[in-house]
Amino acid sequence: MRYKTDRPFTQEELKSMDIIHDPNTVFFDDQNEESYVVDDFITDYECETLALFFMNNFNTIGHTINDHVLHITYPMLITEISDIVRPKIYEHFGNDVIFYSDVAQADPISVGDQFFKSVKPYGLHTDAVTHLEGYRPYKDIIIPVQLDSIPMSEYVTFNQRYRGRATHFMRGRQIGSFANYANVIRHQSYEDYGVENLEHNARDQQILKDIMPAHIPMSIYEGLSIEKILPWRPKCAIIHDASVLHAPVDYRKHGCAYKIGLTLHLMKRDVDYNNRLEGYYTPFSRYTKPLIQA
């Protein structure tokens, strides 16, 4: 199914404004652990099974939003996916981790776990889901499944952290961006919004200039330094704390037209954590409206 976002502001307004879905979101605590990759997290056969599932089922159960977000939602409720991935995640983290798919089915729009196809590199962002009452963000895990034309790409994690809800960091970037869940911040220093550990690193800035998407201005990386450049390779698992700022490199520079992967936002039970909104179409935004079928 094809959809487009019902934006509450004009394109021109969006080019110059911050979008804060919930100005009262309480920041979360997390582990301050380094990011890492687990090689061969799934087998060749399991990887091929997941790739075939996406290709065979996307046209019937997948969503295309604004012509560039292609995903299957709530993947951990799909037996063919869950039977492969769930036992491995429980073995790695313990069975007290919570999947967004398992506890967020009342959300009118899915904003968490997804089986996705990327045709355009995302910009700098975080993915923390903060609105589910009694659940605190814990880890992001990305399982690459397929790349077009090349054996691997790369994924950059930064030393800087943001312990609020999912956010697109767009300092100096003038595009009319509105996401149904993620905040958009662009006007002030990232430190003013609560980003931690800002620093200037000239060497890292040059590396980023060489590897990141050319259509994204370097101004969005001001004050950031590289934690790691991790391989985005089918079968592996990329794992980092939910607060870590991150972004993919421009895989298109190497002739790759798309990549397919599974992204899961793991949570922990925390009865004291709650940012649920009341009185709006969704429990997570004062702005978001129903998607429009295109």
Side-chain angles (χ1 to χ4, degrees):
M1 298 289 288
R2 304 182 73 85
Y3 298 92
K4 61 181 180 179
T5 302
D6 188 358
R7 300 181 176 191
F9 305 100
T10 68
Q11 186 77 355
E12 286 305 308
E13 287 173 327
L14 288 170
K15 287 181 180 179
S16 60
M17 66 186 295
D18 287 349
I19 300 294
I20 308 296
H21 289 278
D22 175 9
N24 298 314
T25 298
V26 176
F27 281 17
F28 59 88
D29 295 323
D30 70 354
Q31 307 69 236
N32 294 309
E33 295 174 349
E34 68 177 272
S35 307
Y36 61 98
V37 167
V38 179
D39 291 323
D40 297 318
F41 190 74
I42 58 176
T43 66
D44 286 319
Y45 176 77
E46 291 166 336
C47 192
E48 292 169 6
T49 299
L50 291 173
L52 284 171
F53 180 89
F54 188 93
M55 289 185 286
N56 291 337
N57 292 277
F58 179 79
N59 287 338
T60 54
I61 64 173
H63 298 161
T64 299
I65 302 175
N66 299 331
D67 294 324
H68 71 276
V69 176
L70 293 79
H71 62 198
I72 295 171
T73 59
Y74 301 113
M76 296 305 289
L77 301 183
I78 299 171
T79 300
E80 294 89 337
I81 300 172
S82 180
D83 284 353
I84 291 173
V85 175
R86 190 182 293 265
K88 296 175 185 293
I89 290 177
Y90 285 156
E91 181 180 1
H92 189 82
F93 292 107
N95 60 9
D96 62 334
V97 295
I98 308 295
F99 295 95
Y100 171 88
S101 297
D102 289 342
V103 294
Q105 296 156 53
D107 281 354
I109 298 174
S110 174
V111 295
D113 304 345
Q114 56 179 302
F115 197 3
F116 68 90
K117 181 178 182 178
S118 171
V119 296
K120 184 179 182 181
Y122 288 111
L124 178 69
H125 66 286
T126 57
D127 295 297
V129 175
T130 57
H131 73 281
L132 294 172
E133 185 174 358
Y135 298 99
R136 171 178 50 81
Y138 175 52
K139 295 281 188 181
D140 292 342
I141 176 167
I142 301 92
I143 303 174
V145 170
Q146 187 179 82
L147 280 158
D148 170 58
S149 305
I150 57 176
M152 64 167 277
S153 184
E154 291 175 321
Y155 180 98
V156 181
T157 58
F158 293 87
N159 291 309
Q160 288 65 43
R161 290 174 177 256
Y162 180 66
R163 302 179 199 276
R165 72 183 291 147
T167 296
H168 295 168
F169 299 88
M170 291 194 174
R171 183 169 173 80
R173 190 177 183 192
Q174 300 299 311
I175 63 170
S177 180
F178 178 85
N180 284 317
Y181 193 81
N183 289 339
V184 175
I185 58 175
R186 67 172 95 232
H187 283 305
Q188 301 165 243
S189 164
Y190 292 151
E191 186 175 24
D192 293 338
Y193 298 98
V195 177
E196 302 172 8
N197 307 321
L198 291 181
E199 61 178 336
H200 177 71
N201 186 308
R203 176 179 173 274
D204 285 358
Q205 291 294 311
Q206 184 57 55
I207 293 171
L208 293 169
K209 185 176 181 180
D210 292 338
I211 66 175
M212 301 308 275
H215 69 280
I216 298 177
M218 286 298 297
S219 56
I220 75 161
Y221 309 111
E222 288 179 8
L224 305 189
S225 59
I226 297 171
E227 181 207 14
K228 293 184 178 180
I229 300 177
L230 301 171
W232 204 98
R233 181 191 301 117
K235 299 192 304 176
C236 79
I238 300 169
I239 298 168
H240 56 75
D241 287 347
S243 61
V244 170
L245 274 66
H246 58 275
V249 305
D250 193 350
Y251 50 84
R252 299 171 304 178
K253 290 182 179 180
H254 305 287
C256 179
Y258 68 85
K259 60 182 185 179
I260 296 173
L262 187 64
T263 182
L264 304 169
H265 308 311
L266 306 181
M267 291 171 282
K268 288 289 186 80
R269 192 81 173 98
D270 184 342
V271 295
D272 297 321
Y273 193 73
N274 179 27
N275 292 299
R276 182 181 176 86
L277 287 174
E278 301 293 345
Y280 298 95
Y281 170 67
T282 76
F284 51 75
S285 173
R286 55 183 175 162
Y287 295 135
T288 299
K289 300 178 182 180
L291 293 170
I292 301 170
Q293 189 167 339

